[in-house]
Amino acid sequence: MIYENICSGIFLSRPNRFIAQVEINGRIETCHVKNTGRCAELLIPGVTVMVQQVDSPGRLTGYDLISVWKGDRLINMDSAVPNKIFAEYLRSGQYIKGLTLIKPETGFGNSRFDFYLEAGERKIFIEVKGVTLEEDGVALFPDAPTERGVKHLRELIRCLDAGFEAQAVFIIQMKGLRYFTPNVRTHAAFDEALKAANKAGVTVRAMDCWVGDNRIAVADPVPVKL
């Protein structure tokens, strides 16, 4: 995925979860933050961020905050991007061979999953989660409690019971991780639910990403530790 009209800026503050103040070319601009999570370990005053200039009638802000430098690692924090780039990866044929159907946003039971796939006799539900939290080279999810995430994992088990395959795929929006693990400190119930889903037969996978100033793409599998 390629972003148009990208430039760098200096993060100053985040008055609320939707906007940030960023210095761009010597001017202070209000930017839309494309991630409503806490991201407190990323958005630190003085860090360099990448922003996208957006010219759209009716918008209150002229920029979107896309990614942030954490040391020498560029982390994409656009919460809409994991599904987009995973769809690109699916269409490339690298993830599952012989796909005949890729259907986004498909309902099952009381949940709506990110993807429903068919490949021969295989019928697969997939829930995708974007990961932006990193500590000492370890990718962690979630960065805030997510009851919705717990619900999805429980519903994936019900997919198995109904005869489908089920997967939880964590798209790590950066490169150079040692492994992925659930963030038990932040949400013990999610950790328990992910382990229970894995034990029941839900496939748990993590993939990192190539991240550049103006692009991001799914890259390589990352080990999962549960």
Side-chain angles (χ1 to χ4, degrees):
M1 175 179 170
I2 296 176
Y3 293 96
E4 303 291 341
N5 302 318
I6 291 289
C7 62
S8 64
I10 303 299
F11 174 79
L12 301 176
S13 65
R14 189 179 186 182
N16 60 52
R17 61 183 182 146
F18 301 106
I19 63 171
Q21 299 295 315
V22 178
E23 183 181 330
I24 303 169
N25 297 324
R27 296 183 55 178
I28 298 176
E29 303 281 358
T30 299
C31 301
H32 171 58
V33 179
K34 300 190 75 174
N35 189 317
T36 57
R38 294 174 180 173
C39 304
E41 78 290 348
L42 297 178
L43 295 180
I44 299 170
V47 299
T48 299
V49 295
M50 306 306 299
V51 299
Q52 180 181 33
Q53 187 170 11
V54 182
D55 184 13
S56 178
R59 274 186 57 123
L60 298 178
T61 60
Y63 293 88
D64 287 336
L65 197 159
I66 299 297
S67 56
V68 55
W69 284 96
K70 184 182 179 185
D72 59 359
R73 178 181 282 120
L74 183 59
I75 300 175
N76 180 290
M77 52 179 292
D78 180 351
S79 61
V81 88
N83 281 22
K84 293 179 182 178
I85 60 174
F86 188 67
E88 291 177 353
Y89 193 61
L90 289 173
R91 290 193 293 268
S92 75
Q94 297 178 73
Y95 189 71
I96 295 175
K97 302 295 183 184
L99 281 174
T100 55
L101 177 65
I102 302 173
K103 185 179 179 182
E105 295 294 324
T106 302
F108 177 87
N110 296 317
S111 291
R112 183 173 294 275
F113 292 109
D114 292 316
F115 294 96
Y116 170 72
L117 312 177
E118 291 184 0
E121 297 299 314
R122 299 178 67 185
K123 301 179 187 299
I124 312 159
F125 280 100
I126 297 181
E127 181 64 16
V128 174
K129 301 295 185 187
V131 181
T132 61
L133 178 59
E134 173 272 337
E135 293 180 2
D136 299 322
V138 176
L140 299 161
F141 183 92
D143 68 352
T146 171
E147 294 301 330
R148 183 169 179 267
V150 171
K151 176 190 173 186
H152 279 144
L153 293 172
R154 291 172 178 165
E155 201 74 40
L156 284 173
I157 295 175
R158 297 189 182 97
C159 292
L160 295 175
D161 295 339
F164 298 92
E165 293 182 45
Q167 299 186 12
V169 178
F170 294 88
I171 300 298
I172 305 167
Q173 294 167 248
M174 66 194 89
K175 202 76 178 74
L177 288 305
R178 295 188 290 127
Y179 60 89
F180 165 83
T181 194
N183 191 356
V184 64
R185 296 195 313 273
T186 295
H187 198 187
F190 183 86
D191 172 69
E192 293 168 3
L194 187 61
K195 290 175 179 175
N198 183 64
K199 186 175 181 180
V202 174
T203 300
V204 179
R205 290 182 174 158
M207 308 285 296
D208 65 10
C209 294
W210 298 110
V211 181
D213 288 353
N214 70 336
R215 66 189 62 215
I216 180 171
V218 175
D220 303 300
V222 171
V224 174
K225 291 190 178 182
L226 299 177

